[in-house]
Amino acid sequence: MNFRPLIIFTAGTLMSVPALANGKPQPSELADPVALVLLIIAGFLLIAIAVLGNAVIGAMDIFRERMKKDAGKAMITIGVILLAMSGALQAHAADALVEAPTSGLLSKSSLWTLVTVILLEILVILSLLYTLKHLVGIQRKRKPKKAPVPGKPRVNWFEKLNNTRTLDEASEAEQDMGHEYDGIRELNNPTPPWWNWAFYFCIAFGVVYLWRGYVSGTAPTQLEELAMAEQEAAAAKAEFLKNAANNVDENTVTLLTSADELAGGQKLFVSSCAPCHGPQGQGVVGPNLTDEYWLHGGKINEVFKTIKYGVPEKGMKAWQEDFSPRQIAMLASYIESIQGSNPPNPKAPQGEKAQ
């Protein structure tokens, strides 16, 4: 079977794919560099299938020496094809990535179709190699099982794994270490090989760990890993608390007392509430917030609710769109903290006295 025309035809087809893709007025999936590379791989694998198929057909019809000769030619040809394929793929992939401006045209269905074709071709190649291996007699002959030695005990897999064997009275005498106490004799019972190899692995691991962690500094030690884990946990906790603080409402809000939170509330008050209530809460257009009288309640949840929903009929806007729940809680807590501060020029009391 002459497969040179097939090689020439396949190579010509693959070389013409970019030209055909670039000649179309509208870009197609063939202009995608990934599609071109996969098509080239599929083509070279098809050539390898043709070479192996020719060798298998020849091996079925001729003598053993000719079979070996064709098999060698087939393997050499496939090796040359694979070497050429690696160089061609690198050059063609680089050119395709530079020249094709329409990257990303290959759809998922086309991509998986090409990959499936390539996998099937590889499966066919493996099947042909396996068939050729049997035809030329490369497969190793199975070694005949050794006949058991008469009188020698059979060793099972568990004893082989632990390098132990069942002992009779005669063999026990050979393994006796000469130590006896209270009728108990010590026999030579070495450590299992798997335990020894695990011990050697631990030593090697310890050496590498010491070198990387304490000498070269290319890997963190256990204490450093613990510190990094604690930092990550602290950041995650802070994020959780931040989100949890924003989950409060007028039913769950509590009075905040830390200096940082009250300072944040004061900053919000000065920037947003001072025009109506005065910079010290003494009252301007709005009521005095430092005395014992309240128009809408003076408890922390009532102050929170007033700030959140506002009092539209009296000109106070709702701040829930401007401030987060945590910020409203900070602002309400600051207003509670200035009770009884007695600022200068306070506005006359309004509302009812807090109980």
Side-chain angles (χ1 to χ4, degrees):
M1 178 179 178
N2 189 1
F3 51 86
R4 290 181 181 177
L6 177 61
I7 297 176
I8 296 174
F9 173 76
T10 304
T13 302
L14 294 174
M15 295 302 178
S16 65
V17 168
L20 292 174
N22 294 331
K24 293 183 180 181
Q26 297 293 334
S28 66
E29 294 186 0
L30 294 179
D32 194 293
V34 177
L36 297 177
V37 173
L38 292 177
L39 286 173
I40 293 174
I41 294 176
F44 277 111
L45 291 177
L46 186 62
I47 295 174
I49 291 175
V51 174
L52 279 175
N54 180 59
V56 170
I57 293 174
M60 291 179 178
D61 299 332
I62 54 181
F63 297 101
R64 183 181 181 85
E65 295 299 326
R66 180 63 184 276
M67 286 192 292
K68 291 183 178 180
K69 185 177 180 181
D70 282 354
K73 287 182 178 180
M75 297 304 295
I76 293 174
T77 306
I78 293 174
V80 173
I81 289 174
L82 294 177
L83 288 176
M85 181 175 67
S86 62
L89 285 177
Q90 294 178 358
H92 192 78
D95 294 340
L97 289 173
V98 172
E99 296 176 1
T102 55
S103 178
L105 298 174
L106 188 63
S107 62
K108 289 186 178 181
S109 59
S110 300
L111 174 64
W112 285 111
T113 300
L114 290 173
V115 172
T116 303
V117 170
I118 291 174
L119 293 177
L120 289 175
E121 289 181 340
I122 293 175
L123 183 62
V124 172
I125 290 175
L126 294 177
S127 301
L128 290 173
L129 286 173
Y130 184 76
T131 303
L132 189 63
K133 182 179 178 181
H134 279 277
L135 289 174
V136 300
I138 300 177
Q139 186 179 19
R140 295 179 180 178
K141 296 181 179 179
R142 294 184 177 180
K143 296 181 180 180
K145 295 183 179 180
K146 295 182 180 180
V149 179
K152 185 176 181 180
R154 183 178 179 181
V155 180
N156 57 36
W157 65 270
F158 186 76
E159 292 177 337
K160 290 180 180 179
L161 179 65
N162 292 280
N163 195 22
T164 58
R165 63 178 184 273
T166 304
L167 302 178
D168 51 17
E169 293 183 0
S171 55
E172 278 189 6
E174 297 176 358
Q175 301 298 327
D176 195 338
M177 300 290 292
H179 303 154
E180 181 177 355
Y181 181 79
D182 198 16
I184 301 175
R185 293 181 296 131
E186 179 185 1
L187 302 181
N188 183 17
N189 187 19
T191 307
W194 61 264
W195 196 98
N196 290 331
W197 284 110
F199 179 69
Y200 300 148
F201 173 79
C202 292
I203 295 176
F205 179 84
V207 172
V208 174
Y209 176 78
L210 289 173
W211 173 261
R212 296 194 62 189
Y214 295 94
V215 179
S216 64
T218 56
T221 63
Q222 288 185 337
L223 293 177
E224 292 172 343
E225 289 180 349
L226 177 60
M228 291 187 293
E230 289 177 345
Q231 291 178 356
E232 294 177 358
K237 180 180 178 181
E239 184 67 21
F240 173 78
L241 293 177
K242 179 180 178 182
N243 295 331
N246 284 324
N247 291 330
V248 300
D249 57 16
E250 59 272 17
N251 298 317
T252 59
V253 64
T254 57
L255 185 65
L256 305 177
T257 57
S258 69
D260 293 338
E261 291 169 329
L262 293 178
Q266 181 181 12
K267 185 181 297 184
L268 294 172
F269 183 87
V270 171
S271 61
S272 302
C273 305
C276 293
H277 296 281
Q280 296 176 327
Q282 72 274 18
V284 183
V285 178
N288 181 6
L289 300 178
T290 62
D291 56 22
E292 298 178 344
Y293 293 85
W294 298 90
L295 291 172
H296 307 285
K299 296 180 181 179
I300 182 64
N301 60 319
E302 294 171 336
V303 177
F304 184 97
K305 182 178 180 180
T306 303
I307 298 172
K308 180 178 180 181
Y309 299 108
V311 187
E313 63 272 13
K314 294 187 178 181
M316 179 178 176
K317 65 170 289 187
W319 292 96
Q320 59 181 342
E321 301 296 333
D322 300 270
F323 298 149
S324 67
R326 174 175 173 79
Q327 290 176 317
I328 296 177
M330 293 166 58
L331 184 54
S333 298
Y334 171 74
I335 293 174
E336 292 285 346
S337 70
I338 61 176
Q339 289 295 298
S341 58
N342 299 319
N345 302 320
K347 190 176 181 180
Q350 294 176 275
E352 297 179 358
K353 187 175 182 179
Q355 298 297 327

